[in-house]
Amino acid sequence: MGDVQLPVEERRLAEATKRAVQAAGGGKVCEDETGLSDTRISCFCSKNDRASISIRNAVRIDGIGAREDGHPHILNAMASLLGAVVIILPERDGVEPCLRTGVMALSIEVGDVSRAVSDALAGTGEDGAKVTPREAQAALDHIADLERATAKLRYQLEHIGCSSKAPP
């Protein structure tokens, strides 16, 4: 079972599982939540072990993880491998959304994408004017953030379109 060289996609899932376990509070918390041993959970986090977490347990662990960058970690990794993006929609708590905040978030993300791509093309990076895999991944990470910001703003506007009152 252990000490094999996994394909890149499986290593990405293992890394995401490790981040999700950490965000959830560690192996003991996940052990209590899933009924799996801490050792078994560690296998799921290893880039050198073929063991994979079940979808059921991935949902449980991602669900108890802290809301930090990249959360839900496992689901985001799965979606990325399938060419999709996961967007956590804002909770509807009765408070009207602030469109200014949504537009500002969108502007920041556009700037981050533009900067990442421009820096990669400027020729000052690690491989001159040729975009490296690391630079491409950094730009893709910013693009995923941009897509999330766009989807959240769309969600806010659609909510407004269905109601009679617009936010500030």
Side-chain angles (χ1 to χ4, degrees):
M1 275 242 178
D3 294 337
V4 296
Q5 181 66 22
L6 297 177
V8 172
E9 293 83 9
E10 290 184 42
R11 290 195 309 260
R12 286 178 57 195
L13 288 171
E15 291 167 359
T17 302
K18 182 176 182 176
R19 287 191 308 274
V21 168
Q22 291 168 344
K28 179 64 176 143
V29 172
C30 294
E31 180 178 11
D32 293 343
E33 182 67 23
T34 64
L36 298 168
S37 71
D38 185 41
T39 302
R40 189 72 180 143
I41 292 169
S42 292
C43 290
F44 301 150
C45 299
S46 173
K47 294 187 282 185
N48 298 310
D49 196 311
R50 287 210 173 277
S52 290
I53 193 166
S54 71
I55 292 172
R56 178 180 297 114
N57 288 320
V59 169
R60 285 183 181 145
I61 291 171
D62 262 348
I64 59 176
R67 297 263 182 211
E68 61 181 35
D69 282 349
H71 179 268
H73 300 286
I74 302 168
L75 182 58
N76 277 324
M78 289 174 158
S80 176
L81 292 174
L82 295 171
V85 175
V86 174
I87 292 133
I88 303 299
L89 298 173
E91 292 182 26
R92 288 203 172 130
D93 55 7
V95 177
E96 289 294 333
C98 178
L99 293 179
R100 286 183 193 96
T101 303
V103 171
M104 286 183 350
L106 189 65
S107 298
I108 290 168
E109 298 306 340
V110 167
D112 288 347
V113 169
S114 177
R115 190 171 24 265
V117 173
S118 295
D119 289 352
L121 294 173
T124 58
E126 52 196 61
D127 203 13
K130 182 180 177 193
V131 178
T132 66
R134 184 187 340 228
E135 290 168 328
Q137 187 57 54
L140 287 170
D141 291 345
H142 288 300
I143 288 172
D145 292 339
L146 173 62
E147 291 167 335
R148 288 184 190 96
T150 302
K152 286 180 181 180
L153 184 58
R154 175 189 312 252
Y155 178 78
Q156 290 174 323
L157 290 168
E158 287 172 347
H159 178 66
I160 293 165
C162 295
S163 70
S164 60
K165 187 177 172 187

